[in-house]
Amino acid sequence: MTAALGVIVSAVMLWWAFRGADLAVIAHQISAAKPAWLVLAGSLSTTGGLIRAVRWRLLLEPVGPPTSFRARWAALNIGFMVTNLFPARLGEVARPLALSRMAPVSAAAALGTVVLERVLDAFALLALLLVTLLSPAFPLGAMVFGRRIGDTVFAVVLGAMVVLALVVFAVFRPERIVRGVEILAARLPERAGKRVAGSVEPFLSGLRLVRHPATLLRALAWSLVLWLWMASAFWAAFRAFDIDLGMTAAMFTECVLSLVLALPAGPGFIGTMQAGVMLSLHDVFGVPAASTLALSVAYHIAGFIPVTALGLYYAWRLGLRVASLRREAAGGMKRFS
């Protein structure tokens, strides 16, 4: 069901982004792009995983013995590869599964750190979004779908506060979460219920970093570095297409794109990637639709190929078959959802 919904969302987003577009013009603009800047954009996007690997060490500290940088880097790329090749964001589960094969940490605990990672990302992106809105370079009175940007920011802030409250509750009242899950698990078939009930405590252990404010702030700082780094990849992509916009537009595009990519999608964020870039560059900053679509396609490819290749390489080194990894991740998704 989740996979089907993602494919539908991707198809609708793809149609929305490309409606009325001249594909020949888009193809010509891609062919005329400056390859050096595109390579730089793809390299910046890919190496953002190095920052993620450093931050993940901090998130994993409370749940077990130290993990190696290589194991975290390999697991990250395996997760990205699975997300790029299969729907339903299975890479979010494949990543902790892969790490558990290489390091002394349970998949459930590692998955808990992925949840916390998303919370940190939300706050870092929110901070960057507020900076862009206060920048003189941001277009005043910008509208998206007929609504002012300020209304959207308010909704994002409210959503982030709700998520934070749930995470804090899970950390400081884990017994209530465990009890609630046990009640729900009792309604499931016996085997499935035991799996769900047995995984919740290790999962909650991945959120323990919230009890360590100093380490949590360091992880948040790395989150800010990460998303500034990823925004610089968009800045390089602007240069590839002679789009005369600076870091304000790059940061805003990264924020909008990250919000859109949170939606269910097909493999590799096809459609949602293009729609997110269109919402920012075309609708808010007024970049022509053809240039925006050309950039979104080229940037997508520049980031898709290297991280997928890295993921396939590390899966091969671990002796993992992609099909079996997908099945295992799908099983884990059902177990933890």
Side-chain angles (χ1 to χ4, degrees):
M1 180 64 72
T2 304
L5 176 61
V7 171
I8 292 171
V9 170
S10 280
V12 171
M13 292 286 192
L14 204 59
W15 167 82
W16 178 83
F18 281 88
R19 70 196 190 287
D22 189 330
L23 298 183
V25 173
I26 294 171
H28 172 72
Q29 293 203 14
I30 293 174
S31 65
K34 299 172 181 175
W37 283 107
L38 269 182
V39 170
L40 178 60
S43 299
L44 290 169
S45 176
T46 303
T47 53
L50 299 173
I51 301 174
R52 293 179 187 272
V54 172
R55 179 182 63 174
W56 203 9
R57 178 183 65 80
L58 297 173
L59 303 184
L60 288 165
E61 279 183 359
V63 304
T67 57
S68 70
F69 178 86
R70 178 184 178 279
R72 297 191 304 274
W73 167 248
L76 279 161
N77 283 289
I78 289 172
F80 292 147
M81 176 269 293
V82 171
T83 294
N84 283 346
L85 298 182
F86 301 102
R89 302 179 70 95
L90 293 180
E92 301 286 7
V93 179
R95 172 159 50 122
L97 285 172
L99 183 66
S100 68
R101 301 284 184 88
M102 297 177 283
V105 57
S106 73
L111 183 61
T113 67
V114 173
V115 174
L116 181 56
E117 186 178 272
R118 292 292 167 265
V119 175
L120 292 172
D121 286 341
F123 279 91
L125 288 165
L126 179 60
L128 294 183
L129 180 59
L130 292 175
V131 169
T132 63
L133 293 177
L134 294 174
S135 170
F138 190 83
L140 296 176
M143 307 283 286
V144 174
F145 294 132
R147 298 181 65 87
R148 294 182 62 85
I149 291 295
D151 296 335
T152 304
V153 171
F154 176 78
V156 172
V157 171
L158 183 61
M161 291 176 64
V162 171
V163 171
L164 178 62
L166 290 174
V167 170
V168 171
F169 182 78
V171 171
F172 291 98
R173 291 290 184 269
E175 68 283 353
R176 296 191 180 183
I177 299 294
V178 171
R179 180 57 183 158
V181 171
E182 287 176 345
I183 292 173
L184 293 175
R187 300 173 181 240
L188 299 175
E190 183 178 357
R191 186 176 179 182
K194 287 182 178 180
R195 286 183 177 178
V196 171
S199 64
V200 64
E201 289 191 30
F203 174 81
L204 290 174
S205 72
L207 304 178
R208 288 176 184 164
L209 187 67
V210 176
R211 295 184 177 182
H212 304 270
T215 306
L216 185 64
L217 287 174
R218 288 167 59 201
L220 181 58
W222 276 111
S223 299
L224 289 168
V225 172
L226 168 65
W227 292 111
L228 282 170
W229 184 273
M230 298 302 289
S232 71
F234 267 111
W235 177 84
F238 293 168
R239 305 279 75 74
F241 289 87
D242 291 323
I243 294 175
D244 189 20
L245 293 173
M247 276 297 290
T248 295
M251 288 191 297
F252 183 77
T253 301
E254 186 58 57
C255 292
V256 172
L257 181 61
S258 297
L259 181 63
V260 175
L261 293 186
L263 298 173
F269 304 112
I270 294 174
T272 50
M273 169 73 77
Q274 286 68 44
V277 177
M278 280 290 287
L279 280 171
S280 174
L281 293 185
H282 179 63
D283 290 7
V284 175
F285 285 92
V287 177
S291 298
T292 301
L293 288 170
L295 181 147
S296 71
V297 171
Y299 178 83
H300 200 171
I301 294 172
F304 182 99
I305 292 176
V307 77
T308 304
L310 283 167
L312 289 170
Y313 167 75
Y314 283 116
W316 170 73
R317 288 294 302 269
L318 283 174
L320 298 174
R321 292 188 176 184
V322 175
S324 62
L325 186 61
R326 180 193 66 80
R327 287 194 296 270
E328 192 173 350
M333 182 76 78
K334 292 178 181 178
R335 189 187 321 156
F336 297 127
S337 60

